[in-house]
Amino acid sequence: MSSQGTKGDVKDLSLAKDGVNRIEWAEREMGVLRLIKERFAAEKPLAGYKMSACLHVTTETANLALTLQAGGADLVLCASNPLSTQDDVAAALVAEYGIPTYSIKGEDNETYYQHISAALDHAPNYTMDDGADLVSSLHTQRSDLLSNVLGGTEETTTGVIRLTAMANDKKLNYPIIAVNEAETKHFFDNRYGTGQSTLDGITRATNLLWAGRRVVVGGYGWCGRGVASRARGLGAHVIVTEVNAVRALEAVMDGFTVMPGMEAAKVGEVFITVTGGLHTLSKAQMEIMPNGAIMANSGHFNVEIDIPALEEMATSHREVRPFVEEYTMPDGRRLYLLGEGRLINLAAAEGHPSAVMDMSFANQALGMEYLIQNKGKLEPGVYNVPAETDQEVGRLKLQSLGINIDTLTPDQQRYQDSWEEGT
Ligand SMILES: NC(=O)c1ccc[n+]([C@@H]2O[C@H](COP(=O)([O-])OP(=O)(O)OC[C@H]3O[C@@H](n4cnc5c(N)ncnc54)[C@H](O)[C@@H]3O)[C@@H](O)[C@H]2O)c1
């Protein structure tokens, strides 16, 4: 039963104390965000602005929310995925920190969109999104609110792709900063964060041994590189499938076996999709997968595995463990789908480690500040995080880790800047 009220809709407010403990634990690993929060508390750069954020409601997001609150923002939060909410965190945000939050782990699609609508009722001046469902709902269902909105940020690859398509169609009404494109985001969050936490989610759901296992990774982008290298690190034989020749070549030269999806389907034991695209695991592949094959997705939406085809083919299905659904095929083979095909690292584990979300969310906070500083100066469209912000986040992360680096001497700088000097 949910605890619904004027300040949000969460599963159970009595979970709040556990949420606070875990939010504080995550904060220890988020040194960059801590520095930004201290500055925001003193300078209040976000004061006077309403924000609606649609993010995975995790301990790290709570620390971002507290940073925005410290900066003076009037913030409301909803989930960016029906299965990624940490209910104790949602309870803590409402009961302990006074941040209205609309999210319940396992909510159905209807509730998911009701929660997005509730966050939009806040009539935001700024949006913060992860996957672009909030921005898409705002433009299609709640366009009456668009005139209030001055800008927004977007967290992930899939969201940036959707927003770029909207901008190309001249349908995007305001400027949005693509946090995903910051080097201090995708180099670390997508690669190391998704890499580690995807295997964590699959391990927690199944308790499988990775060593010696044939693991097929669909997509060798930022996330795929991380997933493949972490699986190899645990002793798996990793096969990569790709549609992009350069990325496929990179996988080959990184030492992975590359083959078409239909060939991989015959030999794989664990299949992990991270493409952001439709039906990376298709009906035809499921028809030839070995008995016992496990399928998991860590891409943003639950469309990478053709679940409707799986359901249609199966003669029966049942839940065999939390987050593990067994589908029996007409020929007797059993295939396993993890976490309803939703991002497995958030469904069955805790999402990315805090230390990596520290940088992604530092970019979110600084992106918001940048938008406010440049209010009215940016045309509608999708913008990269300014290079200085990226450098600043990298510098602060190193500082928080106690690591110093060199700087160019004046001679070295002059050499870099000149075109006349050769050998
Ligand atoms: N689970 C998480 O916490 C998390 C974190 C970050 C990003 N994401 C999501 O993961 C997805 C991938 O993100 P990314 O940053 O790696 O994107 P990316 O664009 O860097 O990589 C995607 C790769 O998939 C390949 N691809 C596309 N269709 C394919 C197909 N049918 N078969 C094989 N390969 C195919 C592309 O060529 C590309 O190389 C996105 O949906 C993103 O939003 C999830």
Side-chain angles (χ1 to χ4, degrees), residues 268-269 288-294 327 331-336:
E269 295 172 288
I288 55 172
M289 279 178 188
N291 181 36
I294 293 171
Y327 289 82
D331 59 8
R333 282 174 310 127
R334 290 174 183 184
L335 303 182
Y336 296 92

Side-chain angles (χ1 to χ4, degrees), residues 156-158 185 189-190 194 219-224 241-244 247 274-276 280 298-300 304 343 345-346 352:
T156 198
T157 314
T158 286
K185 201 279 186 181
D189 171 314
N190 300 31
T194 313
Y220 201 66
W222 289 105
C223 295
T241 67
E242 250 299 343
V243 292
N244 175 312
R247 294 234 165 136
V274 262
T275 65
T280 304
S298 217
H300 192 77
E304 302 201 17
L343 339 96
N345 59 334
L346 283 142
H352 293 170

